[in-house]
Amino acid sequence: MQIILMHSRFTQAKSVTLSSRHVILALFAFLLVTTFCAAMMAALTLKLASADLPVLRDLVPAPATSEIGNKDKYMKENLAAMAAKVGEMQAQLIRLDALGERVQGLAGVKPEEFNFKELPGRGGPEVSSQPAKELNMAEFQAALAAMSVDIEHRSDYMNVVETKLMGFKVQSKLLPTIQPVNVAYNASGFGWRLDPFSGRSAFHEGIDFSGPSGTPIVAAAGGVVVAAEYHPQFGNMVEIDHGGEIMTRYAHSSKVYVKLGDIVKRGQHIADIGSTGRSTGAHLHFEVHVKGVPQNPHKFLSAGADQAKLAALNQK
């Protein structure tokens, strides 16, 4: 390629011949200068950015940095809230375990049969047709909240069960279910019989335990002494109110060890076998009344014997 140069100072026109080599060198030099200028501009921009100029902050926004900071803050706040929630649930589980152990004791369940401190065994096949799904943050928080509500509900249910079981246990202690004397022979049962004095048919409102005079008589259940006196028919007599309109009577005693108004415990020594009142020999006449109506004491004593057998089996 030929270039003709003309100028007023030149006496004549001059020509310059450029080859392809000259053109390539010129392009290379241009690219080198351009790259150098761009590098200098980048270095100058970084230096100005480190100087924290307000004008540069306005011209060059940094949305990525602020978004990352907001996400980190959001994650930290949510993790702190979830950690507090997990702490509350752990405390609720500890209370629930203690409540479960109390209910277990009231129900008579052996500790080794139902241990609240050990996780139950779980398992099952992995279903390939239903692939596992990862929880996002919102779903995880919802699961935590639902679990917390479930724990509270179960705690309420266990409290109700404990109250019921405690009531049943107290009520069972107030039922006359233990035999008042340690003898095996019943001289006369509950119901119609021939009266030993008149020889005529008469209704016997209790059962008679024949035994030596002075044999201890104990309260068949806990309660309050409502009578401790001599009666023309029953002789030295003790009556105990057990609550729930249940009353027991112990008659023909030789000696009485309680007085009116005393609170007696289940199995407490209250009198001795004798033959006072309308009696043909040393024995205990024992009655159970519910709402003023005489009941067969055998029903209560049999229930007590069954409970004793069950308790003995649970202790083995």
Side-chain angles (χ1 to χ4, degrees):
M1 182 175 64
Q2 190 175 20
I3 301 174
I4 298 175
L5 301 177
M6 298 181 66
H7 196 272
S8 59
R9 293 181 181 181
F10 296 156
T11 56
Q12 61 181 359
K14 293 182 179 182
S15 64
V16 178
T17 303
L18 296 177
S19 64
S20 60
R21 182 181 179 185
H22 293 121
V23 175
I24 292 173
L25 289 175
L27 289 175
F28 179 76
F30 176 76
L31 291 174
L32 184 64
V33 172
T34 304
T35 303
F36 178 77
C37 292
M40 292 297 295
M41 289 296 295
L44 181 62
T45 302
L46 290 175
K47 187 174 181 179
L48 292 175
S50 62
D52 195 18
L53 296 177
V55 176
L56 187 62
R57 286 201 307 268
D58 295 338
L59 294 176
V60 183
T65 303
S66 61
E67 288 179 2
I68 293 174
N70 290 335
K71 287 182 179 179
D72 289 342
K73 183 179 179 182
Y74 175 76
M75 289 291 294
K76 289 179 181 178
E77 290 177 353
N78 279 275
L79 286 174
M82 285 188 293
K85 195 68 175 178
V86 169
E88 293 177 1
M89 292 171 63
Q90 288 176 338
Q92 290 174 334
L93 285 173
I94 292 173
R95 290 196 298 268
L96 193 59
D97 288 345
L99 181 59
E101 291 179 356
R102 294 200 302 270
V103 172
Q104 170 186 291
L106 289 172
V109 180
K110 294 180 181 179
E112 58 270 19
E113 292 180 359
F114 200 87
N115 191 349
F116 282 86
K117 295 181 181 179
E118 292 182 0
L119 292 176
R122 295 180 296 177
E126 183 178 2
V127 182
S128 58
S129 60
Q130 298 291 335
K133 184 180 69 172
E134 294 184 359
L135 293 177
N136 57 36
M137 183 63 70
E139 290 173 339
F140 183 64
Q141 289 177 334
L144 273 181
M147 187 179 297
S148 178
V149 172
D150 288 342
I151 291 175
E152 291 179 0
H153 287 172
R154 281 162 175 74
S155 180
D156 292 339
Y157 296 152
M158 291 288 282
N159 280 318
V160 172
V161 172
E162 182 189 26
T163 302
K164 290 290 185 182
L165 286 175
M166 183 66 73
F168 292 151
K169 189 169 185 178
V170 171
Q171 187 177 7
S172 67
K173 287 185 177 296
L174 297 178
L175 291 176
T177 54
I178 65 170
Q179 189 165 306
V181 286
N182 189 19
V183 296
Y185 176 64
N186 296 339
S188 183
F190 178 85
W192 291 95
R193 67 169 186 175
L194 293 177
D195 186 274
F197 290 94
S198 65
R200 292 178 297 181
S201 180
F203 191 83
H204 191 225
E205 295 184 346
I207 55 178
D208 294 338
F209 294 95
S210 182
S213 183
T215 302
I217 302 171
V218 301
V224 179
V225 177
V226 294
E229 60 191 14
Y230 182 83
H231 188 277
Q233 302 288 329
F234 296 116
N236 293 325
M237 176 192 68
V238 175
E239 292 181 352
I240 300 176
D241 185 353
H242 304 286
E245 300 186 77
I246 300 175
M247 184 271 292
T248 54
R249 177 178 290 147
Y250 312 79
H252 308 304
S253 303
S254 61
K255 191 172 183 181
V256 174
Y257 298 100
V258 293
K259 63 183 184 298
L260 179 65
D262 283 354
I263 298 176
V264 296
K265 296 180 181 179
R266 184 184 183 88
Q268 180 178 331
H269 185 192
I270 59 173
D272 291 335
I273 283 182
S275 184
T276 57
R278 192 170 183 266
S279 171
T280 61
H283 72 285
L284 166 66
H285 175 78
F286 177 61
E287 295 182 9
V288 177
H289 291 248
V290 177
K291 296 183 178 180
V293 179
Q295 305 291 324
N296 188 350
H298 276 300
K299 294 187 298 183
F300 295 90
L301 300 181
S302 298
D306 292 340
Q307 289 179 356
K309 291 178 182 178
L310 182 60
L313 289 174
N314 288 333
Q315 291 176 357
K316 291 182 180 180

